[in-house]
Amino acid sequence: MKRRRILLPLSAALGLLLLIALASVVVHRLTHGVILVSAHLSYPDNERAPAQGAVLYLLDEDMIRLVVLKDCETNQLREKVFSENPGLRSLAGLMNARRREAYSLGPEVADFMEQSRPLWELHVVQSGKTDAEGRVTFTDIRPGDYWVMGRVESRGGVAFWNLSVQVRRGASSITLQPANALQCTGCR
């Protein structure tokens, strides 16, 4: 009888803890978002091809803005990046202008992405590689503004994306295509 008195409250307490844990998982899923990304290139023969095997990054800040801003906090990392790559800020300005369709970019985008990596890498929330259909999913994201960034080469085509996406609870989707690439050569 004494044993039953002890086990009953203990099992009720464990049940309550399990219920609280399940409730927190449900609340977490209801308050966080998912981004479904589809990336593809189009070729002159009107063929549309998935951008498979591309590494895409979800950033909490615009990677171009991170380089362009002069009033950003000065630190040793920024000083090192700019001393090793003196033309980086100018290239970021050109990319910013291209975003507004005021300037055409070429293969220097690959250099920009690699040279500025130390500045934007700290802002990567998630990354993923596109599957055979050109899709990748970013999960468990707090609502807010993010940027999907990546560069892909496929069948002679190269595209570079840096697109803003607003995440809300539930699922959001974004399509990366030549029309919204900052640079796309040989893929239209």
Side-chain angles (χ1 to χ4, degrees):
M1 187 76 160
K2 207 175 200 183
R3 204 174 208 191
R4 184 184 270 175
R5 284 187 207 166
I6 293 172
L7 288 179
L8 202 54
L10 184 60
S11 63
L14 287 174
L16 182 60
L17 284 175
L18 181 60
L19 186 60
I20 291 170
L22 286 172
S24 70
V25 168
V26 169
V27 168
H28 180 80
R29 290 191 183 235
L30 291 175
T31 60
H32 284 63
V34 172
I35 303 174
L36 310 167
V37 181
S38 174
H40 68 271
L41 298 174
S42 300
Y43 296 102
D45 56 5
N46 291 327
E47 183 183 343
R48 181 178 148 143
Q52 51 185 303
V55 177
L56 299 177
Y57 301 92
L58 182 66
L59 304 171
D60 64 4
E61 182 62 69
D62 177 6
M63 62 108 53
I64 295 172
R65 184 177 179 274
L66 289 168
V67 178
V68 171
L69 286 182
K70 292 180 182 175
D71 60 346
C72 232
E73 78 283 347
T74 302
N75 62 38
Q76 290 178 350
L77 177 62
R78 287 184 71 75
E79 290 173 14
K80 180 179 186 241
V81 168
F82 289 117
S83 69
E84 290 175 358
N85 307 288
L88 186 61
R89 194 175 310 249
S90 296
L91 184 53
L94 294 176
M95 291 182 73
N96 198 34
R98 173 59 185 114
R99 184 167 26 202
R100 293 170 177 78
E101 299 185 16
Y103 191 83
S104 178
L105 292 173
E108 67 272 8
V109 171
D111 292 338
F112 175 76
M113 198 170 162
E114 285 310 308
Q115 291 171 5
S116 64
R117 180 180 291 274
L119 300 176
W120 58 261
E121 205 166 39
L122 301 171
H123 294 272
V124 173
V125 175
Q126 289 183 32
S127 65
K129 197 176 227 183
T130 57
D131 64 15
E133 299 298 316
R135 296 178 305 221
V136 67
T137 303
F138 298 117
T139 60
D140 196 29
I141 306 163
R142 291 182 185 272
D145 294 326
Y146 295 88
W147 285 259
V148 175
M149 187 266 294
R151 181 179 179 275
V152 64
E153 290 185 44
S154 177
R155 219 178 94 198
V158 179
F160 174 78
W161 292 284
N162 185 51
L163 290 177
S164 176
V165 60
Q166 188 175 50
V167 176
R168 296 192 171 117
R169 291 179 296 178
S172 303
S173 65
I174 186 169
T175 301
L176 305 178
Q177 56 193 343
N180 59 16
L182 287 179
Q183 177 235 8
C184 191
T185 55
C187 61
R188 285 190 188 231

